[in-house]
Amino acid sequence: MLLASGTALAAGPNERLAPSPMKYIRVAAAEPDSNTQRLVEQIRELQKPASSVPPDVLDAEELVQASPAAPSTGDDAGATAPASASPQVDESALRYFATRGDTARLQAEIARLRALYPNWQPPADPLAVPPLRDAQLENMWRLYAEGRYAEVRRAVAERQSAEQAWQPPADLLERLDVAEARVRLVNASNLKQYDTVVNVGAGTPSLLSCAEVDVLWRVAEAFIRTNRTARGQDAYSFILKTCENPQERQATIQRAASLLSYAEVQPLLALEQTGADGVKEFDPIRDDLARAFVAEANRRPEIVLDPIYIERLQRLAQADTTGSDSMLLGWYQLRHDNMAEAEKWFRASREKTDTASASQGLALTLIARNASSEAEEVMFRWKDESEDSSSTYLAATANLLAGDPPPTIQAPVLQRVAAEVTKKRYVPTAQQFGWYARAYDQPEAAIRWFQTALSWKADDEPSAYGLALTQQQLNNRAAVDDLRRSWSGRSERIANLGLAVGNQPPVNPGQLAYVPQQTAQVAPPPRPVAQPVARPVAETVRQPAAQTAAPRRSVAAPRQAAPATTTRNRTAGCALGQSPSSSPEQSVAHGWCLMDLNRPLEASQAFELGSRSSVQRVREDAAYGLSLAYLRLGLTNQAAIAATQSPQNPERSAELQTVILADRAVSAFNAKRYRETLVYLDQRAKLLDEPADLAVLRGYSYMSLSMYNDAWKVFEFAAETGNKDASRGLAEIRDMLNGYR
């Protein structure tokens, strides 16, 4: 096979190589070698079933058998030179390029003629070649060399019309055909008409050679863009197995890496050649390959990269001054749930260049480890940079207010968070403002925030529940009754609110909360807006989907309400702000009063005083109350310890155990200790039937442990009760079993 090619410029993975001027000089009549024949046959096989294939396209076998013979000279169009005789070679193009000083084309023409005529020897001085005596033919060669193919066709037609006996050189016509086919193929490629690219390539096998690497690149891309990836790989493999130009080989790998997946590029990299000095030919582009592969793994976390690429990028990141390599590593580690490493690389990136992407990644790692205060601060500057940045900032604000326990937040921070939430009408943070205000004993502010969240999203059940709790706390019975009626059939907990004595919910369902001694002024919410926003906002606080890997699913199971009490020793005149008596009996009564007012921290202090009583019944009641107070605060371990301070009757003991075990199951699930979650749920199920929300927790634990059949049964049973989380879990497990995930 003739390699009539000069040196092509290397291109990046997203660039195209412009055809070199010398590529107008091509092998028109060289017989394809076995590699070329194989590639042509593969293209032909793909073309056979396509209805768009022209009827005169040869089959692969016919194409191989019909390799064109060497062209004749211009003077004798039909003659061929015997191998043993001195060939008659048309050297007119040779002289033309020599006189023009076009060295690259001159060398390509010499290589072409040598391949066509093995016994031919080029002249020592091309300028000494007898000048072409046919001025019209010389003009045709000039037009051809300048790429003016239509004018060549016109000149040929005009001369044939004027001179009936004149025939153009077969070499000129053949090269015209190939050049025009190349133009059609390149134009179709630029216009993304990929089927046409494949058709033209199949109809012009002489283009599928190392002299036409740009054409081979375009044909490979056409295959990949039309979902025939294996054929695209074959085209790239053909180049790497056949062609020798180092720059073109490197550019081939770069182009393949931009179009093929990481796994599909690996067999091509295995075709790498090692020089005599031991240097591998793709070493100059290996840094770029590492960046490309890590970026792909960021988009597709299921990809498992060879550690050598991560190690290479880590070395690059240490020397990088822009922070871009560190940011790539940060996203890679975040996508693969290695939050500690992700935080390290995002911090390194921001130290070099503080960008929105690096800040967003750092904020997500901070949210994951419950450092939402720093996450809010990190993202505040970039909150309006993009929709993803805004989503991350708002997620940080919601998690900040839902801290465990609620943090003391400076007034300026509260004010700016409130302003941003109001501007974006972000329901989760507005809802959390309500719980936060309740935690700091500001029920009026809590009511306004819950009402604001409902004005933006009328079906936000957690906000309605918080509003009902707060109205009940203020003894606004009419408001509570209105909420119970309006949510009847939609929320069981709102409908049952206040029906069971002492069955009070925690301050913030799903969150630890307590009321500290010092109070923080909660930012006032805006007046409720009459109409909710057009685009609904998710009820639960989630990390933004874009730029992050899909987080492991979590169930926002509400913390168990304190169990109902039996007989409680209360004073009739319990009032807000009343101090506990020094009497243990009166302290216990005061503790129950504070529990009714949903002030468990102060109640725990009263119960601790009551536990010092010398009366067994009072100590038992105090220990029971202290356990309930700790449970309402979310302090499960302390509740378990308090329950052992004094023996309880079997009913109370079972009641406390079920709540403690449920709390521990929720905590273990949130910590991704799924087997431990199932142990706690199994222990609780021995004492009391499992409610729907804990059944959902069980289902997701089974799913996380790949116990899909068990998860299916649990979700199916819980979904029959109308539980939306169970229905969602059932849909997820159905998709998994159907192979969609």
Side-chain angles (χ1 to χ4, degrees), residues 278-468:
V279 177
K280 294 185 176 181
E281 64 174 329
F282 298 146
D283 280 350
I285 61 172
R286 217 170 290 277
D287 291 348
D288 290 336
L289 291 176
R291 293 185 178 101
F293 293 151
V294 172
E296 182 185 358
N298 289 348
R299 296 188 300 270
R300 300 170 56 198
E302 70 275 10
I303 294 177
V304 179
L305 293 182
D306 190 317
I308 62 173
Y309 295 114
I310 303 300
E311 294 168 3
R312 177 175 286 270
L313 193 56
Q314 287 175 345
R315 291 194 297 270
L316 293 172
Q318 292 169 355
D320 178 34
T321 59
T322 65
S324 59
D325 290 334
S326 298
M327 185 164 60
L328 266 179
L329 285 168
W331 284 113
Y332 177 82
Q333 299 294 355
L334 183 112
R335 297 291 196 276
H336 293 80
D337 295 325
N338 192 346
M339 294 300 177
E341 279 293 298
E343 181 177 344
K344 181 184 82 171
W345 288 111
F346 281 130
R347 287 190 185 279
S349 178
R350 291 182 79 247
E351 287 174 2
K352 296 172 182 177
T353 307
D354 187 4
T355 62
S357 183
S359 297
Q360 182 186 0
L362 177 59
L364 292 175
T365 64
L366 293 170
I367 291 172
R369 69 173 178 87
N370 296 322
S372 299
S373 178
E374 185 181 356
E376 187 274 337
E377 182 180 357
V378 165
M379 282 306 299
F380 181 72
R381 172 186 173 187
W382 303 103
K383 59 184 174 58
D384 296 321
E385 184 72 12
S386 66
E387 186 175 347
D388 289 337
S389 295
S390 177
S391 298
T392 303
Y393 175 76
L394 292 171
T397 64
N399 281 278
L400 169 62
L401 293 168
D404 180 12
T408 301
I409 305 173
Q410 297 299 319
V413 176
L414 282 174
Q415 293 293 340
R416 75 187 188 191
V417 169
E420 189 66 19
V421 169
T422 302
K423 181 173 71 174
K424 299 294 177 61
R425 295 187 173 187
Y426 189 62
V427 173
T429 303
Q431 178 201 128
Q432 290 300 334
F433 257 124
W435 295 115
Y436 189 78
R438 280 178 56 82
Y440 280 92
D441 199 19
Q442 298 177 32
E444 292 80 6
I447 286 175
R448 292 184 61 191
W449 273 112
F450 287 134
Q451 288 175 337
T452 298
L454 287 169
S455 72
W456 295 340
K457 190 172 188 293
D459 62 347
D460 188 50
E461 192 270 351
S463 294
Y465 183 52
L467 178 60

Side-chain angles (χ1 to χ4, degrees), residues 4-9 17-26 96-97 100-109 141-149 175 179 182-183 211-212 214 248:
S5 174
T7 301
L9 297 176
L17 284 181
S20 169
M22 62 150 290
K23 300 221 172 178
Y24 294 122
I25 307 302
R26 294 299 177 213
Y96 177 77
F97 295 133
R100 304 282 290 184
D102 195 337
T103 306
R105 293 189 180 187
L106 177 65
Q107 295 300 324
E109 179 68 3
W141 280 114
R142 180 182 63 81
L143 293 172
Y144 170 82
E146 294 173 359
R148 298 158 65 180
Y149 308 130
R175 286 202 277 182
R182 184 189 310 109
V183 170
E212 296 283 1
D214 181 62
E248 291 176 344

